[in-house]
Amino acid sequence: MYEVKEFRKVSYDIDPIYIKRWSPRSFLNKEVSDDVLHSLFEAARWAPSAANMQPWRFVVARTEKDREKFLSFINEGNVAWCKKAPVLTAVVSKMDAKTTGGTNPTHAFDTGAAWGYLALEAARKGLAVHAMGGFDKTKAKEVLGIPENYAVHAIVAIGFQGEKEALLEKLQEREKPSDRNEVDTFISEGTFEEKL
């Protein structure tokens, strides 16, 4: 396993959990207990939410039968590694709201925050999580019975990190924490400025 600090250096003081979290592809064939798994969703529960609408929803696949359903709409390149993860989860948001009588313009933003909380709690618990956008959204909605007024944003593999040697050779070189752009490349004051 990698020591994350070999690949990531912070420029300002933050809690180490932020750099500890990364997205491995290698998973052990080891079950995640109910208590540990539900603690991730407990963290997601407390994410910020506009008007407290809490639009996030998660569809969880833990049995072999349910994971096979997920694999039917995940792109082949992702199936190659995520099929070993003991948990697959669809990140979904409700696009409308009874409180506003119409659409919820922040459904995706709030659900992204909930996913972030889940990912950080997973890192805190020693779990690996890897979100992927490489899947057929239309087929996912159909297979999982997701209504039209919900959006599917990502599929997340959850489990315990495995060794990189368990991956296909072409994925092994990518199996390390990635760096991030420096803060001054993505903030601007007063007016927008594209720096990247």
Side-chain angles (χ1 to χ4, degrees):
M1 300 293 174
Y2 289 110
E3 190 65 35
V4 174
K5 60 186 171 190
E6 292 175 41
F7 300 92
R8 295 179 162 187
K9 306 277 188 257
V10 298
S11 299
Y12 300 94
D13 183 42
I14 59 171
D15 191 286
I17 198 67
Y18 297 102
I19 59 165
K20 181 181 178 185
R21 189 229 58 83
W22 65 287
S23 302
R25 289 177 179 81
S26 183
F27 288 89
L28 296 176
N29 185 13
K30 179 181 173 184
E31 187 176 320
V32 178
S33 73
D34 286 349
D35 284 349
V36 171
L37 183 63
H38 287 109
S39 72
L40 308 188
F41 298 110
E42 179 70 20
R45 171 186 176 201
W46 296 103
S49 174
N52 200 26
M53 287 188 275
Q54 304 171 51
W56 49 82
R57 305 291 188 270
F58 299 94
V59 181
V60 180
R62 299 178 68 190
T63 67
E64 187 174 339
K65 180 181 175 185
D66 286 344
R67 286 194 310 271
E68 284 298 322
K69 288 195 305 192
F70 273 64
L71 297 178
S72 74
F73 54 74
I74 295 173
N75 292 0
E76 193 176 314
N78 288 330
V79 167
W81 59 266
C82 79
K83 65 185 175 187
K84 291 186 179 177
V87 181
L88 295 171
T89 302
V91 180
V92 179
S93 66
K94 191 171 192 283
M95 297 184 289
D96 55 4
K98 290 179 185 173
T99 55
T100 63
T103 61
N104 175 0
T106 63
H107 71 93
F109 183 77
D110 291 356
T111 300
W115 142 249
Y117 276 37
L118 181 154
L120 290 171
E121 184 62 18
R124 200 178 77 76
K125 289 277 198 282
L127 290 172
V129 294
H130 190 121
M132 59 195 111
F135 68 99
D136 183 326
K137 290 182 179 186
T138 302
K139 188 170 181 184
K141 288 182 81 166
E142 177 187 313
V143 170
L144 300 178
I146 298 169
E148 280 303 308
N149 59 324
Y150 289 80
V152 186
H153 301 285
I155 305 300
V156 180
I158 302 171
F160 294 94
Q161 185 179 351
E163 296 293 332
K164 75 174 185 176
E165 291 76 17
L167 294 169
L168 296 172
E169 192 172 333
K170 66 182 180 179
L171 294 175
Q172 289 181 26
E173 66 186 49
R174 296 173 62 192
E175 189 69 354
K176 61 187 176 196
S178 56
D179 201 5
R180 291 294 187 267
N181 296 324
E182 290 291 336
V183 170
D184 63 0
T185 64
F186 59 80
I187 64 169
S188 53
E189 287 195 43
T191 57
F192 178 82
E193 180 184 357
E194 179 58 77
K195 299 178 184 178
L196 294 174

